[in-house]
Amino acid sequence: MSCNGREFIPFHTPQIGDAEIESVVETLRSGWLTTGSKVKRFEEEFSKYLGCSHAIAVNSGTAALHLALDAVGIKEGDEVIVPTMTFAATAEVVLYFKARPVFVDCRPDTLNIDSDQIEKAITSKTKAIIPVHFGGQPCEMDQILRLARKYNLRTIEDAAHALPTSYQDKKIGTIGDVTCFSFYATKTITTGEGGMATTENPEWSDRMRMMSLHGISHDAWKRYTKEGSWHYEVLYPGFKYNLTDVAAALGIEQLKKCDGFWRARKRIAAIYDKAFGDLEEIQTPVRRPGIEHAWHLYVIQLNLEGLRLTRNQFIEALREEGIGTSVHFIPLHLHPYYRHKFGYKPADFPNASSVFHRIVSLPIYPKMTEADVESVIAAVSKVIKQNHRL
Ligand SMILES: Cc1ncc(COP(=O)(O)O)c(C=O)c1O
C-alpha cells in the first residue's frame, strides 16, 4: 500500500505462511469441512501448549465468553463485574442472560481493571467477574481471585489479547474458572474468526461443548462419521458456535508459531520502549513485575499538555506519514447503549474517560520489518517534534 508515494504500514496484517495455506488446502481436499479431527487436534495441541485440562474450540472469542457464563450458571438478574476499558463483547455476553454488566474503572497506567475498585462494585447479586488482560498484560489475579473466594464469585478471564501471557509463572488459561481466547484476524494467532475456552472443570467443559453445538448429546459432530450414529437428542436449547476444520487447520499451524510470533512482538516492544522512553510527550506501556506480556497491543499515552494537537489529530498526522494506528478502546460507559440504558456519565469512570483521549495503539506484529519499525518511530518522533507545545 502506498501513502503520499510511500509505503503504508497498516495497523495489523496477519502472518500466514505456506504451512497454513497447505494445511487449509489439504483440509478442503479431505472433504471434511466442518468440525472434525482437525478441531480435535487443535484443542489437544492448545491444551498441551497451555498445560490446561480442557480446551473447547468455538467460532469466536465472544462465543467462548457466552458459553463460559452459561457453564458457571449466570442467570437473569445476576450482576457480573466487567472493566469499562474493553471491547463490546465482554459486556454484551452478560446482557444475553438479561444479567447486568457492572463496570469498574481501569488503572490509569496499565489500563487493566483497577482491582482496588472491584470490592465496592460487588453486591448480593454479583455472581462473576470478567478480568480482561488488556493488550496482553495480565490483570492482578492474586487480588481478583482473593475477592472471588471471599464473595463466592466465578472468574471468567477474557484472554482475547493474552496468548501467550503468564502471571507469576502461571500461563493465562490455567488460572481462572474459565479462560476465553480469541483467534480473530488481528489477534496473536488467528483462524480468521475463532475462539477457545479453557477450564480445569470437567462439568463446565462438557456443558460448553454441548451448548456450542445446539445442546445436542455428546459428540454430536461425529454423527456423519463411520463411528457415529444418526441418532441425537437435544438436551438443552444450545447455540451454533462450533469451529470448522478449515479454521482449525489454520489454527494448528499458527499455534506452532505462537512463541516465535511472541518473541518478534516482544522485540518490537523493546525497540519502541527505547525509542520513546525519553520523549516527555509519550508515556510508553507500563508493566507490572512478575508477568509476561503478550504484546498483542502497544498502547502509548500522549501527554496532551505538552502537545498542540489532540489524539485524533495525532492519528491523522500519523496516517499522513503512512502509519496505520488504532484506539483500544472507547470505554464501554461512553457508548450510547450503556449511557442510555444505565445512565453512565464520563465522571463515573474518571481514569478510563481521561486516558481514552490520550491512547493510541501503534502497529506491533511479526510481519513488520526492522525498516517498518523504524518508520513508525520516525513518524511518531516527527509528529511529536512538529507539535511540541513551547
Ligand atoms: C477484549 C476482547 N474481548 C473479546 C473479544 C471478542 O473476540 P472475537 O472477536 O473473537 O469474538 C475481543 C476482540 O475481538 C476483545 O478485544
Side-chain angles (χ1 to χ4, degrees):
M1 266 170 273
S2 90
C3 177
N4 293 340
R6 291 187 312 273
E7 281 297 298
F8 185 77
I9 298 169
F11 172 65
H12 185 82
T13 39
Q15 175 88 297
I16 303 293
D18 288 342
E20 285 89 330
I21 293 167
E22 279 157 25
S23 176
V24 168
V25 169
E26 190 243 301
T27 305
L28 292 174
R29 292 216 163 97
S30 77
W32 191 279
L33 303 187
T34 186
T35 311
S37 60
K38 288 277 160 55
V39 168
K40 194 157 183 285
R41 203 172 117 211
F42 186 34
E43 292 175 340
E44 284 164 3
E45 301 286 332
F46 198 84
S47 47
K48 210 186 307 159
Y49 177 76
L50 290 184
C52 67
S53 301
H54 307 279
I56 298 96
V58 287
N59 59 11
S60 72
T62 309
L65 287 165
H66 185 188
L67 292 172
L69 292 181
D70 169 78
V72 303
I74 298 303
K75 299 265 176 322
E76 181 170 351
D78 289 346
E79 292 180 0
V80 177
I81 306 274
V82 171
T84 186
M85 188 52 103
T86 187
F87 185 58
T90 321
E92 84 197 21
V93 291
V94 176
L95 292 159
Y96 292 174
F97 295 86
K98 297 195 171 71
R100 182 185 169 133
V102 175
F103 294 155
V104 169
D105 207 352
C106 65
R107 294 253 189 227
D109 54 359
T110 62
L111 308 185
N112 266 331
I113 190 166
D114 182 349
S115 319
D116 295 332
Q117 296 196 46
I118 294 175
E119 195 158 15
K120 67 176 191 225
I122 295 173
T123 71
S124 57
K125 292 181 182 166
T126 312
K127 293 290 160 22
I129 166 160
I130 312 184
V132 177
H133 306 301
F134 180 93
Q137 164 147 239
C139 295
E140 294 145 4
M141 292 308 293
D142 272 355
Q143 256 176 285
I144 291 170
L145 292 173
R146 210 177 305 126
L147 285 172
R149 272 193 298 274
K150 183 169 168 190
Y151 293 97
N152 195 26
L153 310 179
R154 293 297 172 206
T155 311
I156 308 298
E157 289 171 68
D158 182 336
H161 303 178
L163 183 74
T165 303
S166 57
Y167 177 80
Q168 293 172 0
D169 295 328
K170 278 202 196 126
K171 278 242 170 75
I172 293 299
T174 63
I175 299 177
D177 288 315
V178 184
T179 307
C180 302
F181 295 89
S182 165
F183 310 128
Y184 178 66
T186 60
K187 296 299 194 283
T188 58
I189 68 167
T190 185
T191 58
E193 297 280 359
M196 190 80 78
T198 64
T199 184
E200 297 305 304
N201 183 314
E203 279 164 35
W204 293 338
S205 167
D206 286 350
R207 171 84 185 181
M208 288 191 282
R209 197 173 287 292
M210 177 184 62
M211 293 302 276
S212 74
L213 199 55
H214 305 296
I216 288 176
S217 48
H218 202 59
D219 273 351
W221 63 269
K222 274 194 186 153
R223 69 191 189 279
Y224 299 120
T225 66
K226 208 163 83 188
E227 319 88 84
S229 153
W230 60 268
H231 185 259
Y232 62 87
E233 285 179 307
V234 176
L235 304 180
Y236 296 93
F239 314 104
K240 184 69 168 84
Y241 283 163
N242 54 308
L243 192 73
T244 67
D245 261 21
V246 178
L250 189 47
I252 289 165
E253 295 305 321
Q254 286 267 293
L255 185 61
K256 290 180 193 163
K257 299 177 177 176
C258 187
D259 286 344
F261 288 168
W262 176 57
R263 282 191 294 272
R265 291 191 307 275
K266 211 167 147 168
R267 199 161 45 236
I268 297 169
I271 299 171
Y272 282 159
D273 276 352
K274 194 153 173 258
F276 304 136
D278 291 336
L279 288 180
E280 274 177 25
E281 296 82 1
I282 286 179
Q283 185 188 317
T284 53
V286 170
R287 63 213 87 132
R288 297 270 182 266
I291 63 118
E292 284 292 354
H293 197 308
W295 292 115
H296 167 54
L297 300 176
Y298 189 93
V299 179
I300 57 169
Q301 290 193 40
L302 300 176
N303 171 8
L304 295 172
E305 292 73 21
L307 291 167
R308 282 186 288 112
L309 81 183
T310 63
R311 185 273 315 278
N312 294 1
Q313 288 167 332
F314 181 82
I315 286 175
E316 274 315 303
L318 283 185
R319 195 198 306 278
E320 287 293 307
E321 294 296 322
I323 310 296
T325 58
S326 191
V327 173
H328 297 86
F329 292 97
I330 304 169
L332 293 179
H333 71 278
L334 299 181
H335 286 282
Y337 174 79
Y338 292 102
R339 279 193 280 119
H340 299 151
K341 172 97 179 164
F342 300 107
Y344 284 133
K345 309 249 172 331
D348 295 337
F349 306 99
N351 294 341
S353 299
S354 160
V355 294
F356 167 59
H357 297 289
R358 302 168 177 271
I359 49 179
V360 182
S361 305
L362 298 181
I364 180 165
Y365 45 94
K367 215 171 181 180
M368 290 177 83
T369 63
E370 270 176 38
D372 290 339
V373 177
E374 289 309 320
S375 297
V376 174
I377 291 169
V380 169
S381 307
K382 180 177 165 188
V383 172
I384 292 287
K385 203 163 159 209
Q386 284 175 343
N387 293 283
H388 191 79
R389 198 187 287 279
L390 298 173

